[in-house]
Amino acid sequence: PLLRQTPGARVVNLLTGNHRMVNRRVLDDYTSETQYRGMDAYGRTKLYNLMMLYRLAERHPEVSFFAADPGPNDTDMLRK
């Protein structure tokens, strides 16, 4: 309630382009029951975050919602 009552309120969700990698097979297996693949799960969570952001924007037009991709980062995440 406080966010909706604040003039100029906004929500920023940081995403990656990995949500574009998700295919229908992965969406149908949203709990990874048949096979777990880390990058599929990662892309799926990013897609679900984006979908949630769209839904919130529909329900709360008094708040501004943004999705941003910060670009690549030099981390060890994929090297391990």
Side-chain angles (χ1 to χ4, degrees):
L2 185 58
L3 187 62
R4 292 190 311 239
Q5 297 169 0
T6 304
R10 60 189 165 274
V11 174
V12 178
N13 193 338
L14 294 180
L15 300 172
T16 66
N18 291 42
H19 70 278
R20 293 185 192 105
M21 297 178 358
V22 177
N23 62 40
R24 181 71 182 184
R25 174 191 56 80
V26 173
L27 284 178
D28 288 341
D29 187 26
Y30 64 91
T31 60
S32 299
E33 289 183 24
T34 59
Q35 185 175 13
Y36 177 80
R37 291 189 175 126
M39 288 308 290
D40 286 346
Y42 181 75
R44 190 171 49 242
T45 60
K46 294 304 174 185
L47 177 61
Y48 292 155
N49 284 339
L50 186 59
M51 292 167 64
M52 181 185 71
L53 197 66
Y54 275 108
R55 180 69 175 136
L56 287 170
E58 289 174 353
R59 292 180 66 186
H60 304 288
E62 67 279 7
V63 177
S64 297
F65 292 89
F66 302 94
D69 181 350
N73 295 296
D74 188 20
T75 68
D76 289 338
M77 186 172 97
L78 298 176
R79 287 181 238 172
K80 293 182 179 184

